[in-house]
C-alpha cells in the first residue's frame, strides 16, 4: 500500500514537472517568434509605419520631382528601401537644403526626420522642430497637392512647386 502511494506521488510530481517544462518550452518558442517579427528590420518598420502613419494614396498623389522659386523638391514613395523620402534643395545646389525619411503624412501634414549629415538649412523663416531621440530634428510642414504640383509650407509661409 505504501509502495502504491509512493508511486502515485512520484507519478504526480513527474507529471507536473513535465507540464511545467512543456509550458516553458512553448512560451520560449513563442517569444522567439515574436522577437523575430518585431526586430527592427527596415522592411517590417516600413510596413508598420505605412499602415499607421502614412496615407499611401496621398503619398502617391504627391510623389515626384518639383521646382519653384529657386528650390527643387523630390518626394519618393520608396528611397533605397528606407521608405517614403522627401528632399528639398536650392536649385543652385550650393545653398540650403534638407532631406530625410517621411515619418508621417496625413490630413495635409508631413513630418520628415531630417538626415543630419545632409542638413544645410531650410528656407528663410522655416525652422527644424524638436530634438528627439538621438538629437533628431524634424521638419513639420503643411503639404497639399495642387494642379500639377505641390504646396509645401511652414506656419503659414508656403512655397508652391510645379512639376518638372
Amino acid at each position: 500500500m505504501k509502495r502504491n502511494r509512493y508511486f502515485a506521488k512520484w507519478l504526480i510530481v513527474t507529471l507536473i514537472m513535465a507540464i511545467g517544462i512543456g509550458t516553458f518550452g512553448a512560451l520560449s518558442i513563442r517569444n522567439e517568434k515574436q522577437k523575430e517579427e518585431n526586430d527592427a528590420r527596415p522592411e517590417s518598420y516600413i510596413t508598420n509605419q505605412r499602415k499607421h502613419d502614412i496615407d499611401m494614396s496621398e503619398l502617391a498623389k504627391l510623389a515626384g520631382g518639383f521646382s519653384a522659386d529657386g528650390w527643387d523638391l523630390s518626394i519618393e514613395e520608396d528611397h533605397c528601401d528606407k521608405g517614403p523620402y522627401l528632399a528639398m534643395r536650392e536649385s543652385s545646389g550650393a545653398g540650403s537644403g534638407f532631406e530625410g525619411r517621411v515619418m508621417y503624412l496625413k490630413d495635409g501634414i508631413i513630418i520628415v526626420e531630417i538626415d543630419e549629415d545632409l542638413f544645410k538649412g531650410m528656407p528663410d523663416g522655416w525652422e527644424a522642430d524638436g530634438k528627439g531621440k538621438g538629437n533628431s530634428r524634424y521638419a513639420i510642414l503643411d503639404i497639399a497637392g495642387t494642379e500639377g504640383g505641390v504646396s509645401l509650407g511652414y506656419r503659414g509661409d508656403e512655397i508652391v512647386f510645379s512639376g518638372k
Side-chain angles (χ1 to χ4, degrees):
M1 210 68 161
K2 279 186 171 184
R3 188 178 242 175
N4 286 343
R5 278 192 187 165
Y6 176 76
F7 181 70
K9 287 180 182 178
W10 179 82
L11 187 60
I12 289 172
V13 169
T14 306
L15 183 61
I16 290 171
M17 287 177 54
I19 290 172
I21 291 170
T23 302
F24 178 76
L27 290 174
S28 295
I29 291 171
R30 182 172 158 219
N31 286 341
E32 283 298 315
K33 284 184 179 179
Q34 283 179 339
K35 185 179 175 187
E36 287 175 12
E37 290 172 2
N38 294 332
D39 274 349
R41 293 185 313 262
E43 310 86 53
S44 64
Y45 174 73
I46 291 168
T47 301
N48 292 335
Q49 172 187 329
R50 284 182 168 168
K51 285 180 184 174
H52 302 291
D53 296 337
I54 296 178
D55 182 341
M56 294 304 291
S57 62
E58 189 173 351
L59 177 64
K61 292 175 190 172
L62 299 171
F66 307 94
S67 62
D69 299 329
W71 289 93
D72 290 326
L73 174 68
S74 172
I75 301 173
E76 299 177 40
E77 291 184 64
D78 193 15
H79 177 75
C80 299
D81 293 331
K82 292 182 181 177
Y85 199 81
L86 180 141
M88 184 175 171
R89 296 261 173 238
E90 281 189 307
S91 298
S92 64
S96 295
F98 68 94
E99 60 185 83
R101 293 186 313 167
V102 174
M103 304 306 290
Y104 181 89
L105 175 61
K106 284 186 179 178
D107 303 322
I109 296 174
I110 188 167
I111 300 175
V112 179
E113 180 182 28
I114 297 172
D115 184 336
E116 291 295 327
D117 296 334
L118 302 173
F119 181 74
K120 294 184 180 170
M122 299 181 85
D124 291 334
W126 293 26
E127 292 181 21
D129 293 305
K131 295 272 186 184
K133 281 186 189 176
N135 294 324
S136 297
R137 285 193 236 192
Y138 297 91
I140 302 173
L141 307 169
D142 299 318
I143 191 165
T146 62
E147 192 172 318
V150 172
S151 171
L152 192 64
Y154 177 78
R155 297 185 180 177
D157 182 17
E158 68 177 25
I159 298 174
V160 179
F161 294 87
S162 58
K164 286 186 177 181

